[in-house]
Amino acid sequence: MTIIIIILKFLSIVFGSIIAGFIGSLTGLGGGTVLVPVLTLFYGIPFIFAAGASLISTIATSAGSASAYTKKKIANIRIGIGLEIATTTGAIVGSLTLVTIDRVHLIFIVYILFGLVLLFSLIPTIKKIGAEIPPETKPDWTTKLFQLTGSYYDERLRQTIKYHGIRWWLGEIVMFFAGFVSGLLGIGSGALKVLGMDWAMNLPMKVTTTSSNFMIGITAATGSSIYWYEGYINLFIAAATAIGVLIGAYFGAKVLVRISNENIRWVFFAILSFLGFDMVFKGLHLANFIITFSLMIQFFISIAISITMITLLYIHTKRKEYKNKNGDKK
Amino acid sequence: MKNHDDEVVISYFLKAGVFISLAFLVAGVIIMFAKNGGNGVTLSQISSYRYAYNHHIDSARISLSNIPYGLTTFDGLYFITVGLWVLIFTPITVVFIGWLSFLEDKNYLYVGMASIVLFNLFFAMLVIPRFIT
């Protein structure tokens, strides 16, 4: 009898991971960002087990999707490996920070940080910063020294696009933080990696997203091995999430190609902001801080805040689009 | 630059890594359920999060040197262990292939940079565990 319950428990984690992988791949945030809140908030899994299972599952999705991108020769492996110096160093510092925080029993800090990182990583995703092809800039000294050049064939524009990166040092700094966040929170932190290559190094969006995808795996591998020895990986949970997230990401990638309606993405943004707020509240709750509502009330407050926020953002964006359209006509 | 072939090789390595890992994970899960646990832990102990958390039933208990023994005795948890470690090593092979191709191109700056990345990876795997446990 109990074995049936345990099998159902396993399948329910697989199911949750499929959804996390699906949303993560559709929004471009990666599986871990959705998986950690789902595991901690809905399954009652301790944070360190959730982070451990999520980080190791991130490798699976990264490797799975990167194999498709590298074959098309869009991802720039040279630039990626160069930036990995900073992300792997950051991942080591980040995961050791988590170990320290866990040992002094201040894990509530990580919940709050997680919520804030989730909410802030929504901003660039919603705004979709950066055009497909970045504005023309002059190469600087790092362009030549670190060979930050490349080209890829754009299927939609039907031409080969040559590009070059600048400000390698700034990219490395942002990447250190991306690695730190990845090791601290057990996520791939793809949003930060994209920021580093897009905003700091002025690389085209396609190169940025695909290169960051394969870099996530290397960063996560660094953090995962530290997690392993510290005992953050529960094999029962990790096996379920790795299988689930992989399935979810696979279907997410299939659907992503077909989705033409931008509005569907807003629903996912609402879900993500709900998870972000709920993580912050859970952290405050664990800390016995000013806000100590019961978990149920927290849940509804988070839903209310996120729906209001996303609706306002949605109206704001649509109004802007409408204005731009009318402006063009005139 | 002969980087073009490397990208195809990398893509195959990544795909193969994911498939091998998935095979071990699925096999491990089936064995774990069939044998009601493994590595001296029952299924109900490892699957109840609070109990596992309080009694430290986690990856730190599994010694990697026991993997050959665990595999030959069909211990599900060791199959899952192998699956997860194949996953961890999959992206590392990418860096290694990159390192080799930089060496072939005589691009010594990037040979050095890839070496630092590999150093970081093995530092996290071999050196840090000695200090934190």
Side-chain angles (χ1 to χ4, degrees), chain A residues 81-296:
Chain A
I81 288 181
L83 292 172
E84 280 298 335
I85 295 178
T87 57
T88 48
T89 313
I92 292 174
V93 179
S95 39
L96 289 180
T97 310
L98 178 63
V99 170
T100 314
I101 291 177
D102 181 44
R103 286 194 179 171
V104 294
H105 303 290
L106 290 174
I107 207 79
F108 75 90
I109 296 177
V110 187
Y111 277 96
I112 299 173
L113 276 178
F114 193 105
L116 293 178
V117 167
L118 179 48
L119 291 174
F120 277 108
S121 58
L122 278 178
I123 299 172
T125 324
I126 289 179
K127 273 178 127 183
K128 269 197 184 167
I129 47 158
E132 277 290 311
I133 296 156
E136 200 58 45
T137 48
K138 261 193 184 161
D140 63 2
W141 61 275
T142 55
T143 310
K144 201 169 170 229
L145 179 59
F146 295 106
Q147 305 143 36
L148 309 175
T149 51
S151 61
Y152 68 95
Y153 182 74
D154 193 306
E155 279 175 8
R156 209 158 49 92
L157 300 172
R158 292 192 183 168
Q159 56 173 332
T160 306
I161 292 179
K162 283 190 177 173
Y163 60 87
H164 62 259
I166 54 168
R167 291 190 296 238
W168 182 81
W169 51 274
L170 190 61
E172 292 280 337
I173 293 173
V174 179
M175 287 302 165
F176 175 82
F177 281 103
F180 180 80
V181 166
S182 164
L184 179 67
L185 305 178
I187 57 177
S189 73
L192 265 173
K193 288 195 174 80
V194 169
L195 193 72
M197 281 187 276
D198 181 68
W199 169 76
M201 297 178 68
N202 205 41
L203 292 168
M205 206 57 188
K206 276 232 167 65
V207 179
T208 305
T209 43
T210 51
S211 306
S212 109
N213 218 309
F214 107 93
M215 291 170 65
I216 285 171
I218 301 166
T219 318
T222 318
S224 293
S225 51
I226 295 177
Y227 279 13
W228 179 277
Y229 291 108
E230 188 58 19
Y232 285 6
I233 294 168
N234 177 308
L235 297 187
F236 181 84
I237 304 170
T241 56
I243 297 171
V245 169
L246 205 55
I247 300 173
Y250 177 78
F251 284 112
K254 291 259 152 167
V255 172
L256 189 61
V257 187
R258 280 188 219 146
I259 281 192
S260 51
N261 189 350
E262 277 290 303
N263 293 340
I264 297 173
R265 285 164 58 97
W266 286 93
V267 178
F268 294 121
F269 289 137
I271 296 173
L272 286 168
S273 66
F274 156 70
L275 292 175
F277 282 116
D278 213 10
M279 284 299 270
V280 174
F281 283 131
K282 176 143 189 181
L284 293 174
H285 181 79
L286 286 176
N288 274 326
F289 204 57
I290 316 158
I291 309 171
T292 45
F293 308 120
S294 74
L295 289 176
M296 208 55 186

Side-chain angles (χ1 to χ4, degrees), chain B residues 17-75:
Chain B
V18 171
F19 277 118
I20 296 171
S21 147
L22 206 59
F24 270 99
L25 286 176
V26 172
V29 168
I30 293 170
I31 298 171
M32 179 177 73
F33 277 112
K35 291 181 123 180
N36 191 27
N39 196 32
V41 184
T42 67
L43 196 53
S44 61
Q45 282 171 333
I46 194 172
S47 65
S48 83
Y49 321 127
R50 281 286 150 204
Y51 185 88
Y53 182 72
N54 293 331
H55 291 78
H56 295 285
I57 297 172
D58 50 44
S59 49
R61 271 171 71 107
I62 290 183
S63 142
L64 296 182
S65 53
N66 280 349
I67 286 179
Y69 174 78
L71 291 184
T72 46
T73 53
F74 280 95
D75 189 321

Side-chain angles (χ1 to χ4, degrees), chain B:
Chain B
M1 277 297 237
K2 49 179 296 303
N3 255 348
H4 292 283
D5 303 315
D6 298 324
E7 277 154 348
V8 179
V9 174
I10 284 173
S11 150
Y12 282 126
F13 261 89
L14 289 172
K15 226 179 256 171
V18 171
F19 277 118
I20 296 171
S21 147
L22 206 59
F24 270 99
L25 286 176
V26 172
V29 168
I30 293 170
I31 298 171
M32 179 177 73
F33 277 112
K35 291 181 123 180
N36 191 27
N39 196 32
V41 184
T42 67
L43 196 53
S44 61
Q45 282 171 333
I46 194 172
S47 65
S48 83
Y49 321 127
R50 281 286 150 204
Y51 185 88
Y53 182 72
N54 293 331
H55 291 78
H56 295 285
I57 297 172
D58 50 44
S59 49
R61 271 171 71 107
I62 290 183
S63 142
L64 296 182
S65 53
N66 280 349
I67 286 179
Y69 174 78
L71 291 184
T72 46
T73 53
F74 280 95
D75 189 321
L77 287 189
Y78 280 97
F79 274 84
I80 297 177
T81 304
V82 172
L84 295 178
W85 274 95
V86 168
L87 215 50
I88 293 179
F89 271 101
T90 302
I92 299 178
T93 55
V94 174
V95 184
F96 192 69
I97 296 169
W99 188 86
L100 285 177
S101 88
F102 296 142
L103 194 67
E104 248 174 277
D105 292 347
K106 297 199 167 57
N107 188 348
Y108 294 115
L109 177 70
Y110 270 87
V111 172
M113 298 221 282
S115 305
I116 297 176
V117 176
L118 286 174
F119 171 81
N120 272 351
L121 281 162
F122 287 105
F123 187 74
M125 254 176 231
L126 303 172
V127 183
I128 291 176
R130 287 175 202 278
F131 288 102
I132 56 176
T133 43

